[in-house]
Amino acid sequence: MFSRSDILARFRAQVAEGRPIIGGGAGTGISAKCAEMGGIDLIIIYNSGRFRMAGRGSLAGLMPYGDANQIVMDMAREVLPVVERTPVLAGVCGTDPFRVMKRFLLDVRDAGFSGVQNFPTVGLIDGTLRVGLEETGMGFAKEVEMIALAREMDLLTCPYVFTPEEATQMAKAGADVLIPHMGLTTKGSIGAKSAVSLEDAAKRVQELADAARAVRPDVLVLCHGGPISEPADVRYVLDHTTGIVGFFGASSIERLPTEVAITNCVKQFKALGV
């Protein structure tokens, strides 16, 4: 486990040197191990990582296919022991009505996590279902409360946000690293087919970053999701925004590279003569 102050000091020094902060999801131990070998700055264990690396879409993490928070704790036994130099965050379902959240966050800290992120998140849900969740006490405010609790416990907090209002709320709650979320990642065999354009994504990332910084000028802001799925996409966003200092990838870090590597490897074996 790494202290929040040490992580933030490292990140700010990195940014001052012109180097981006890169975070990535790990659904398996080998994903975490390889990401660390590549020099990743943060590793995140989401329940969606289990489904993603089983060949299913990331949105499976929002469906009733298991206890999201327990899945993360189970995955920790596989991932945490193989990570040596990198802080690991837990994707925490802050709206979970069957957890005493402060007690659960103590368990998260005791397991060896250095921080948290709000996932699964109702921010990915819209329409009538979202309205119903908000009206029945399972809305985004519960995720803000979870982040505020984690901040009080001196855990690194890296929440997803989807609107300027949510960015403001999370900044007020003490978020250390804010992640404007542009939706389900495109590309690959199970990526989304519909998303905002890269140009619009850059504008939205900037809008959310500006809203957060109006409250907390020192908050670090990274980008994530939608059409921002490959290094060239991140380069575009960094070139067309101000003050965005890195990228969080889940599918982009472990699913897309795995699909390409395994597919090409098998093709090369199949191309051998006998």
Side-chain angles (χ1 to χ4, degrees):
M1 184 175 175
F2 296 79
S3 73
R4 172 180 168 272
S5 59
D6 286 348
I7 297 170
L8 288 174
R10 185 194 316 170
F11 284 175
R12 296 191 190 285
Q14 215 171 288
V15 171
E17 294 170 0
R19 295 184 291 120
I21 300 165
I22 304 298
T28 64
I30 191 65
S31 297
K33 200 169 193 176
C34 291
E36 186 169 62
M37 290 169 62
I40 203 160
D41 300 302
L42 277 175
I43 291 172
I44 311 95
I45 301 179
Y46 312 97
N47 75 316
S48 62
R50 171 165 290 177
F51 301 113
R52 182 166 48 244
M53 299 310 285
R56 304 299 177 182
S58 298
L59 287 183
L62 272 66
M63 297 297 287
Y65 302 150
D67 180 340
N69 284 326
Q70 187 57 51
I71 287 172
V72 167
M73 297 301 280
D74 291 342
M75 292 169 68
R77 298 184 342 198
E78 177 179 349
V79 174
L80 288 173
V82 300
V83 176
E84 298 177 355
R85 304 176 302 279
T86 310
V88 181
L89 306 183
V92 174
C93 181
T95 59
D96 186 342
F98 299 104
R99 293 289 195 288
V100 176
M101 192 49 62
K102 188 167 186 178
R103 170 56 53 190
F104 180 65
L105 291 178
L106 288 171
D107 293 340
V108 165
R109 186 177 64 186
D110 290 345
F113 287 102
S114 298
V116 299
Q117 188 166 46
N118 56 324
F119 192 91
T121 171
V122 299
L124 285 167
I125 300 172
D126 56 15
T128 303
L129 177 56
R130 175 64 180 274
V131 172
L133 290 169
E134 296 290 343
E135 290 178 348
T136 55
M138 293 176 282
F140 196 79
K142 298 297 291 183
E143 299 179 25
V144 176
E145 288 177 18
M146 183 274 289
I147 291 296
L149 273 174
R151 176 66 183 81
E152 288 175 11
M153 296 169 62
D154 210 29
L155 289 163
L156 187 75
T157 52
C158 305
Y160 284 133
V161 293
F162 302 81
T163 68
E165 293 75 20
E166 292 169 358
T168 299
Q169 291 168 15
M170 284 298 191
K172 288 180 178 178
D176 298 306
V177 183
L178 208 70
I179 319 295
H181 197 307
M182 296 298 108
L184 192 62
T185 300
T186 60
K187 301 180 183 177
S189 64
I190 52 174
K193 300 298 185 286
S194 57
V196 298
S197 68
L198 194 57
E199 180 181 3
D200 286 343
K203 292 177 181 177
R204 285 179 56 186
V205 167
Q206 187 71 67
E207 181 184 18
L208 271 60
D210 291 345
R213 289 206 185 94
V215 176
R216 291 255 317 287
D218 64 336
V219 68
L220 297 168
V221 183
L222 315 185
C223 58
H224 170 84
I228 315 169
S229 57
E230 296 180 348
D233 304 325
V234 178
R235 178 73 271 161
Y236 178 90
V237 173
L238 296 179
D239 288 344
H240 291 81
T241 55
T242 301
I244 307 305
V245 295
F247 171 70
F248 255 41
S251 295
S252 301
I253 295 292
E254 62 175 355
R255 175 176 64 80
L256 294 177
T258 298
E259 289 182 2
V260 173
I262 293 178
T263 301
N264 289 341
C265 178
V266 173
K267 285 181 177 179
Q268 290 176 43
F269 279 115
K270 288 292 289 183
L272 297 174
V274 293

